[in-house]
Amino acid sequence: MSEHYLLRHRSVPHIDRLDVYRSQGGFEAFHKAVTSLKPGEVIEEIKKSGLRGRGGAGFPTGTKWGFLPNTLWPHYVVANADESEPGTFKDHEILESNPFQFLEGLMIAAYAVQAQRAYIYLRGEFWQLAQALDQRIAQLEADGLLGEDIFGTDYSLRLFTHLGAGAYICGEETALLESLEGKLGQPRLRPPFPATAGLYNSPTVINNVETLTNVPLIIGRGADWFRSFGTDKSPGLKIFSLSGCVNRPGNYELPLGCTFRELIYDHGGGIVQDHAIKAIMAAGASSVLIAATPEALETPMDYETTLEKFGAPLGSASIIVLDETVNMAWLAFKTIGFFKHESCGKCTPCREGTFWMNQIATRIMRGKATRADIHLLENVAQQIQGKCLCALGEFSIMAVLSSLKLFAKDFEQLIKVEHDG
Amino acid sequence: MTDKLVHLTIDNIPVSVPPDTLVVDAAKQAGINIPVFCYHPKLHPVGMCRMCLVEIGRPLLDRASGEFVRDADGAPKLQFSPKLETACTTPVTEGMVVITNSQKVADARREVLEFILTSHPLDCPICDKGGECPLQNLTMEHGPGQSRFLFDEKMHLDKHVPLGELIYLDRERCIQCGRCVRFQNEVADDPVIAFSQRGRALEIITQSTPGFDSIFSGNTTDICPVGALTTADFRFAARPWELKAAASICQHCAVGCNIVFNVRREALQGGRMVIKRVMPRQNEQVNEIWICDKGRFAYHYVESPQRLTQPMIRKDGALIEAEWDEALDLVAKKLTAYGASLVTLAGGRLSNEDLFNLYSLTHTQGGQAVLYSYMAGGDLTAQVGIPPQTDLGKLGAGCVILVIACDLHEEAPLWWLRIKAAAQRGASLIVLNPRTTRLDRYARHVIRYEYGAELAALSAFQPQSRGDLPEPVRSAVKTFQEAENVIILYGSEGLGLQESKALAHACAGLLIKTYHIGRSNNGLVAAWHNANLQGAWDMGFSPINNLAETLSKAGVTYVVATDPAGDDPQLAEALQHSGFLVVQDILMTETVKMADVFLPAQAYMERGGSYTSGERRLQRFYPAVPPPGNTLPDFAITARISQRLGRTAEEQSPARILLQIAATNPAYAEMDYQLLAQVHEQQPLMGRHDLYYGGTTYENRQGLGAHLSTAASRVEPLNIPDAPPPPVFPVQEGLLTVVPTTRLYDRGSLLIHSNLLHQRLAHPTLTMHPKTAEAYQLSRGQTAVMLLEKTPYRVEIDLDEDLPHGIALLPRSVGIPLNAPQAVKLRPES
C-alpha cells in the first residue's frame, strides 16, 4: 500500500497519540508558521498550493483566508466537522484516527487569519469524537501548543468543540454559524458573507476537516510538493469515500484527477456479484447522476471535468456506485425523502417542494402513480430549481431531474396500468 | 453624481432612491408592487418566502477604468444573473435594471404561490383574515387558480393553539414567513416566540411563561400575512368587510397612539353598533404602525353592564333616575347658592373641549379647577416642552435623551419602542432611575440613584457642577454637555405629587440653563399617566397637594371622569364632608354611589374631541359608536349647566370649542379641526390596498394632528415658578418606606373591565430586596398587612435581587392609595 498523507494512520500506527504524532514531525509546521512566518506568508503558501475546499464547493482555500478584512476584529476560524452528506465518511476517519494533523491544520489556519478562538462544529452523532477531541485539545494546552503566548510569541489560541443537534443543514456554513451561536439551524442570507460577517457578526473562515488536514502538509512540505499530486487546477490528494454496489467500499486517498474506473475497479474491487454498473453519484445525495458509460468511467475525478462533461459537480467526492439492480426511481425517492426530512423549512420552494415531491415519489413507489404524476414530479422539481435560499433546496432536485432524464424507463416501470376511458 | 441618489429603472420606469434602498421599496415608490410575504418595511429582510423574485441586470463595470462597459449605441452593457433574485434583500445599485413584469417573473410568482398553497388550508370562508388577507389577494393576482396538489394529501395541523391568552395560532394557516418572530426580536425586544422544528414541521412556539409574554403581542396579528395569528378578542368575531372604521386616539397613556375602532352592527346586541377591534393607524411621528396590547384590548369598558345612562338625583338617601332638566336645574341651583366654593375635580381622560368648558364654568363661578393626578409640571412642558418639527422617530446621533424616574416600558410603551429605536440610530440615551428598567440596555449611560435622590442625581448635569464626579456620572455629564440637542423625559417612578413638581422644575431649569429649549428636538416631556393630562394643564387644571382637605371644605364638588372615593378612603371621607356632590361619569363607581346628582357622560369613542399628547401633539378623535341611552358628551353637560347660570357655552360642536381654545391659549392659536385632519403621504407606504406590504394597519386618512408650540418656541418670556421646597424622603425607624411605581396593566377603572387582560393585571404586591425582606422577617409569597393612614391593606410579598435595599415597591392603582413615597407599618398577616 502506498504512503498515506491524509489518512496517515494507515501508514503510521498510533498517530492519534500526541507523542507519536510529534515524533513524526507533528506540529513542526505549526511551529514554523507561528515562529518564522508572517500570517500573510502562510496565506500566500496556501494560495500557491492551489488547495481547494474539500467540503464540496472546491473554493480556493487561500483566497478564502485572504478575504478577511484586517479592519474588523476579532476573527474566528470554524472547522466544519458536520460531515452529513450521505455517502461521505472521510472526515470521520480523520477525526477518529489522525486527529492531530487536523488540529494542527486548524491551528495554522487560525494563525494565518490571526484568530484567537477557533471552533470545531461536529454533527451531534460525533459526540464520542468530540469527547476525544476535547481530551486532545487539553493535551495540546498542557503541552503549550495552545493557550497564551504560544512558543514564546504573543500569539494566543484556544480551541473549542461544539456539537450540533443532528441537522444536515448545519453543514451549510451559515446555518452552521447560526447553530454555533445557539440558534435554530437555518441558513443566513448572503451577502454578507462569513468572511466579513460570520460568527457573532465577525469575520470568519469556515473550512472542512479534510481541507484543514492538508494544511500542515503544505506548510511543512511546501506548495510545490503538494502540487506534485493531482491536476493543475485541482492539485493535491483527495479522500474518495466509495460506497454502494462495490466489493470494497471505504475511504481511498488518491490524487485528484484519477478516474472513476481506477477508484471503482482498481481500488474498490469492482461491482458486487459482477453486476453491470449503471450509474454513479459523485457527490452523495446531492449528486447529479452520471450514467456509467465506459466513457464516463474514464473521466478524471477533479473539480472541473465531471462538471463540464456531465453537469455533475464532484462535491465532497463521495462516490456512490449503483448497479443494474437499482431502480433509479427508487433512488430519486430515497434522495427526496432525505431532503424532505432535512429541509430546514426557511424558504418556501425547499420546504414545500421537497414535501410535495415526496408525496408524488411515494405514489410512484407504491405503484399508484399515473404518467401525469411523473411529469408533475419533473415539473415540481423544476419549480424548485433556482429559487431557493441556500444550496440544500437546489441539491434536492439533482438526482430527481437527472434520473428522470437518464433513466425515464425506471419510472415508467412503476406507473399503474392506465385504463382507457 | 451630483446628488446622493441611486438611479435605476424598474420596468423601464426611471427611479431615483437613496443608497441602500431595497429593490422592493424602490419599486413601491415607483408605484410598482412586488408581492412579498416575509418582507416587511419595518423589519430586517430575510428573503425566506421567495415571493419577490425578479430579474435584475447590472451594468458591466470595466475593472480597470471603473466605467461602465458600453455597447455600440453607448448604452451600458447589462449582465443579468442566471437566477431570479429576491427584490426584498437586494439593495439598489447605480444603473440597475429591474424587470418585474416578464413571463419569467410571473411564472416564479405563480410557482411560489402554488408551493405555499400546497400546505395552506382552504378555510378562507371562516378565516378572520379573509377579506384582508395578503395571501388571498396575491393568489387572486398572481396565483395558479388551480392546485395540482392532491387535496387528500394535505397535512392537517392544530388550528387552535393558544400562544398566550391573547394570541392564537392556527398552525395550518402559517406560511412560516417569520414576520411575527422578527417583530418580537427586532422591534419589541421580547424574543418570546420562535420557530421550532424544521421543514414542513417548522412551527411558531412560545418560549415564555405566561405564553407570548409581550405587551406588543397584538401587532403580530396585524403583520401576519395570513390568518395564522389572531387575537382572542377578534377571533371569529366578524368579517373584515362588515367593519366600518372610525379614526381615534388611544386614551390609555400620554403617547397618543393613532388608532381605528372597527365597528359593526351586532345582531346579538339588538342591532347596536359595537366595537369589534382596535387597530393601529399609521402615524410615523407618533406610533408608526404599532400599538400596545393595553390600547388594543382595554376598550371593553364601553360595553360594560355597569355603564350608567340616565341622570340620577339623590332622594331620601337613594339615587333615583331623573330627567336631564331636573338634574341640571338642581345642579345650577346649588351652584347659584354655593358657586364660589365650587371645587371641580377632573380626570385626565377628558378631552380638551370637555376640560375647556369645565374650566370656564369653574372659573366664572370663582371655584377651583383641580386635576386628579399625582404628576406635576404641565405648566413647564407648555413653556419648555418639545416644540414643532420634533420627531422622536428621527432622533439620532447628536441628540441626548435623558430619561429620569421613569419605567418607560410600563408608563408609555410606544415611547419605549421609539426611544430604544432612537438609541439604536445613534442618539445618546442617558437613563437615571433608582432600579433596573428595560430601557437600560439601550442606554449609553445608566445612573442609579437612591429613591428620593432624583434631584441630587440630576444636579450633576448642571453646567457649574464639579469636575470630580465619579463614573458613570462623569461620562454621562460629558455626553450631556457635548450634545447638540437634549430632550429630558420624566416619569413617576417612586414620586408623589410634590416630588414630581420638584423634579419637573429641576428638569426645566436644567434645560433652560443649558439652552435646550425652544428649538426642535429639545425640551421637556412628561410621561403622563393619562391620555390628556397635558391638555388638562393647558386648559387651566392642575393638581393640588391637599386634595382631601380641599374637597372636605367645598360647598359644591363637581367630580368628572374620575373616582377619588374608589381610589382612596381618605378622599371618600373628604367627599362625605363636602357639600353638594355632583358626579359626571360613564360607569358606576364608588364616587358615583356618593353623588347627590349623577350626570351620565359619553365614552370618548361615542363622541368627538381632541387630546393633547405628552409630546404636546394635538390630535383629534371621532365618534365610533352611537352613545347609549340618555347620555351626553361631557362638554355638553357642562355647557348646559353654564347656560342655566346665564352664560353662553358651546354644547353642540367640539370643533367650535377648539376655536375658543385657540382664541385664548397661544399654543393652540393656529389649531382647528381641519388642520388636525390634514394628512400627507407617509413612508413607508401602508394601508388598505397595500395589505401585503405593511399588514392590516390602517392608512392615516383622518389626520396626523399638529404639534403645539411652546412659550420658548414662540420666544415669549418664560414664567417659571420659584423652586418648590425639596421634598423630604420619608424614612422612619421601624417603618418600611414604600415607593409607588407605575404599571401598564394596573387595576385602573377602565382596564378592570377587560376580561382579556385580566390575567395580566398587577396585584397588590410589595416587592423588595431579599435582604430587606429578611430585616422585616418577610418571605416571598407571604401575605402581609400594610397600614396606610390607619387603613390596613393586604399585600403579597415578592422578592427581587435587583432592587435597592431598605425600600419596597408597590404598583399604583391596584386598590391601595399609595401615590407618594411613604413610611408604613408592616406586619405579617396573623
Side-chain angles (χ1 to χ4, degrees), chain B residues 465-471 474:
Chain B
S465 88
R466 304 187 326 274
D468 56 347
L469 294 162
E471 286 295 355
R474 184 169 30 167

Side-chain angles (χ1 to χ4, degrees), chain B residues 99 144 196 224 227 278 306 365 395 427 466 477 493 503 507 585 631 683 691 701 713 780 792 827:
Chain B
I99 300 170
S196 179
C224 178
V278 175
Q306 295 185 44
Q365 288 293 309
L395 298 183
R466 304 187 326 274
V477 168
E493 172 75 20
L503 178 61
C507 292
D585 212 323
T631 56
Q683 296 293 341
L691 288 173
R701 296 194 193 132
S713 74
R780 189 194 296 265
R827 57 173 167 79

Side-chain angles (χ1 to χ4, degrees), chain A residues 165-169 184 186 189 340-349 351-353 355-356 359-360 363 373 376 379-380 382-384 386-390 394, chain B residues 45-50 53 83-84 86 89 107-112 114-116 118-119 147-150 153-155 175-177 195-200 202:
Chain A
Y168 171 74
I169 187 61
L184 187 68
Q186 290 190 334
L189 202 63
K340 177 224 150 205
H341 184 66
E342 295 296 345
S343 169
C344 81
K346 186 169 184 176
C347 76
T348 308
R351 179 184 69 239
E352 307 294 343
F355 181 78
W356 193 0
Q359 304 284 55
I360 303 167
R363 283 209 294 277
D373 284 319
L376 181 62
N379 211 259
V380 172
Q382 284 163 345
Q383 256 179 237
I384 296 172
K387 292 197 189 69
C388 300
L389 182 75
C390 81
E394 306 290 345
Chain B
V46 284
M48 287 162 68
C49 75
R50 318 307 280 179
L53 293 169
K83 288 184 190 178
L84 299 175
T86 46
T89 64
D107 287 347
R109 290 173 181 175
R110 192 187 65 248
E111 290 164 5
V112 170
E114 187 180 26
F115 279 139
I116 291 174
T118 59
S119 297
S147 180
R148 295 175 295 169
F149 190 87
L150 292 187
E153 291 187 349
K154 268 196 187 288
M155 246 172 130
I175 61 166
Q176 287 85 22
C177 73
F195 277 122
S196 179
Q197 305 300 322
R198 69 180 185 225
R200 275 299 293 124
L202 195 68

Side-chain angles (χ1 to χ4, degrees), chain A residues 205-231:
Chain A
V205 163
I206 303 155
N207 280 139
N208 171 259
V209 168
E210 185 189 348
T211 312
L212 292 166
T213 307
N214 274 291
V215 169
L217 301 172
I218 296 166
I219 299 303
R221 296 165 189 255
D224 292 338
W225 172 84
F226 182 81
R227 282 192 163 279
S228 69
F229 301 96
T231 69

